Amino acid sequence: MSRPAIAHIRLDAFRHNYRVAKQMHGGKSLAVIKANAYGHGAVQCAQAIANEADGFAVACLEEALQLREAGIKTPILLLEGFFEAAELPETVANDLWIVVHAEWQIAFLLAAKLAKPVQVWLKMDSGMHRVGFSPVDYAQAFMRLAGHINVEKIVLMSHFANADNLSSEHTLQQISVFQKTIIGLGILDILETGAAEISLANSAAILGWPQAKASWSRPGIMLYGADPLMAATSKLRAVMQLTSKIISIRHVKKGESIGYGSIFTAARDTVVGVVACGYADGYPRSASNGAPAAVDGVMTRLIGRISMDMLFVELTDIPQTKIGSHVELWGDQVAANDVARAAGTIAYELFCNVKRVQFKYSDYK
Ligand SMILES: *Cc1c(COP(=O)(O)O)cnc(C)c1O
């Protein structure tokens, strides 16, 4: 028998979440499947919704080519555009859309000899201050691109820094900066007809900021079933279920400690289960001592330090546990958000880190 650590990827849940995202926001929706679909498998996720997705978004040309090679014909946006001018011919040949966020990209794009024009998503820095044109420079960037022979059309976009924080004013400020700036573009006629395409909302904005509605949404994390607002009730379904099995059961006396660093000492006689999953599988080592887990459907918690291939769970109050008992590390009973909180991180990082385990795909249509 092989090692029992498994990431079950439920593509029907992924499809369901895409539909929820699209319906909540309205308009068209780019499914963000960068970073190998947040660790879930980009090709499998893309194929699961290829017939209905309005488009996909990835981080770079390599990620897009992987999808094209798998036969995905749906539009694909490169979220940081090209990193060097040499990528442009392949970008055009594969019908990819590009984000343009910096002056150097405009210079390369306008100087290039392209086989056909490319669709540009022109990014405004409305307050996140990571990439994008400042409101002051945005109109000029737009004017230089608009109507150029290498530019097919321009979608106006921006990205939020704090949409997951419903008590922050920052998102509304970003929306207001964005709106004021695009009014200044001198394309009011197009804006009024609604023909100008605009994209603001990530998952958190889809879920929490209806003011960010526009022609295109860009859901990422919600497609994988983790609610970035941490809402208790959610229409989303977990896509990844990370499971393993109990491979050893120890009876530890009060006062004895377990594992590296002896960070857990039994306050009572304690039954300890050893689970075949560790930080080399991407389980966060920082979640040692306290993260939730479910053993044969019963909630319990991790104890002791997580090691490379194994971790410990508390079994004292689950006496029916056996060697081979099923352990859910996150998925349906154990929210990835709760494990992330215990580890001082976010579900995004947990998902992206999963490796070495077997990936098993299922889909119920
Ligand atoms: C990653 C990304 C998204 C998706 O964000 P989520 O928080 O996962 O929904 C949307 N837009 C841009 C520009 C991104 O880089």
Side-chain angles (χ1 to χ4, degrees):
M1 199 196 84
S2 52
R3 191 162 177 270
I6 301 171
H8 306 266
I9 308 294
R10 287 83 55 96
L11 295 171
D12 44 314
F14 181 74
R15 192 180 308 110
H16 166 85
N17 295 338
Y18 178 77
R19 289 174 184 167
V20 169
K22 182 165 168 163
Q23 184 255 326
M24 282 187 82
H25 181 274
K28 292 182 279 188
S29 182
L30 276 187
V32 180
I33 55 170
K34 62 192 178 193
N36 196 29
Y38 294 40
H40 291 66
V43 169
Q44 290 89 343
C45 288
Q47 281 167 343
I49 57 171
N51 294 334
E52 59 188 275
D54 301 305
F56 294 113
V58 297
C60 58
L61 179 62
E62 291 78 3
E63 290 183 351
L65 293 181
Q66 189 197 13
L67 299 174
R68 287 286 183 254
E69 277 154 24
I72 302 291
K73 306 263 193 292
T74 317
I76 302 175
L77 175 68
L78 304 180
L79 285 167
E80 282 106 78
F82 54 93
F83 296 85
E84 52 181 5
E87 293 175 320
L88 271 168
E90 227 177 343
T91 300
V92 169
N94 284 281
D95 276 322
L96 307 175
W97 300 343
I98 56 171
V99 167
V100 167
H101 61 78
E103 181 54 40
W104 64 265
Q105 289 179 319
I106 296 189
F108 282 147
L109 181 57
L110 299 189
K113 291 226 177 334
L114 301 182
K116 55 185 171 186
V118 60
Q119 180 169 144
V120 169
W121 289 47
L122 186 61
K123 191 157 185 176
M124 186 193 305
D125 172 13
S126 58
M128 177 148 174
H129 305 320
R130 185 175 61 179
V131 292
F133 293 89
S134 72
V136 174
D137 297 333
Y138 196 76
Q140 208 215 1
F142 179 86
M143 296 311 167
R144 290 179 66 200
L145 292 167
H148 190 276
I149 186 170
N150 285 344
V151 179
E152 182 207 328
K153 81 185 242 190
I154 303 176
V155 178
L156 312 173
M157 76 174 292
S158 194
H159 191 50
F160 295 123
N162 294 289
D164 57 346
N165 180 354
L166 292 183
S167 52
S168 164
E169 290 292 305
H170 202 245
T171 301
L172 294 180
Q173 285 165 9
Q174 285 195 258
I175 294 171
S176 144
V177 166
F178 182 84
Q179 282 170 344
K180 284 195 187 113
T181 308
I182 64 170
I183 286 169
L185 289 183
I187 53 162
L188 252 190
D189 45 339
I190 315 178
L191 291 173
E192 272 163 7
T193 63
E197 294 199 75
I198 293 173
S199 177
L200 297 173
N202 57 359
S203 299
I206 293 168
L207 293 161
W209 298 94
Q211 305 91 328
K213 278 190 182 159
S215 11
W216 283 94
S217 62
R218 306 187 308 271
I221 192 70
M222 70 183 292
L223 302 180
Y224 309 98
D227 184 332
L229 306 179
M230 312 280 175
T233 58
S234 170
K235 292 182 199 156
L236 304 173
R237 294 192 202 146
V239 176
M240 182 189 296
Q241 188 197 30
L242 182 66
T243 67
S244 190
K245 288 184 174 168
I246 300 281
I247 61 167
S248 176
I249 297 177
R250 337 278 310 169
H251 294 261
V252 174
K253 292 258 170 295
K254 178 179 175 182
E256 289 180 331
S257 26
I258 58 170
Y260 288 122
S262 302
I263 63 168
F264 173 84
T265 301
R268 55 174 179 171
D269 289 358
T270 299
V271 184
V272 178
V274 179
V275 182
C277 186
Y279 63 78
D281 302 298
Y283 194 94
R285 182 173 177 274
S286 50
S288 298
N289 243 344
V295 178
D296 282 340
V298 181
M299 291 298 293
T300 182
R301 66 183 182 110
L302 271 58
I303 51 178
R305 185 159 282 155
I306 291 154
S307 43
M308 190 180 289
D309 312 318
M310 290 176 274
L311 54 81
F312 300 105
V313 287
E314 159 77 79
L315 294 180
T316 314
D317 300 321
I318 323 178
Q320 65 277 24
T321 308
K322 304 182 295 290
I323 300 296
S325 279
H326 178 269
V327 181
E328 182 185 280
L329 294 162
W330 61 68
D332 299 333
Q333 258 190 296
V334 181
N337 275 337
D338 292 339
V339 178
R341 193 182 294 112
T345 184
I346 50 178
Y348 299 70
E349 192 183 25
L350 298 192
F351 295 152
C352 289
N353 280 344
V354 174
K355 53 189 176 291
R356 191 174 69 176
V357 304
Q358 296 177 59
F359 276 73
K360 289 194 175 168
Y361 288 87
S362 61
D363 197 354
Y364 297 94
K365 288 187 185 144

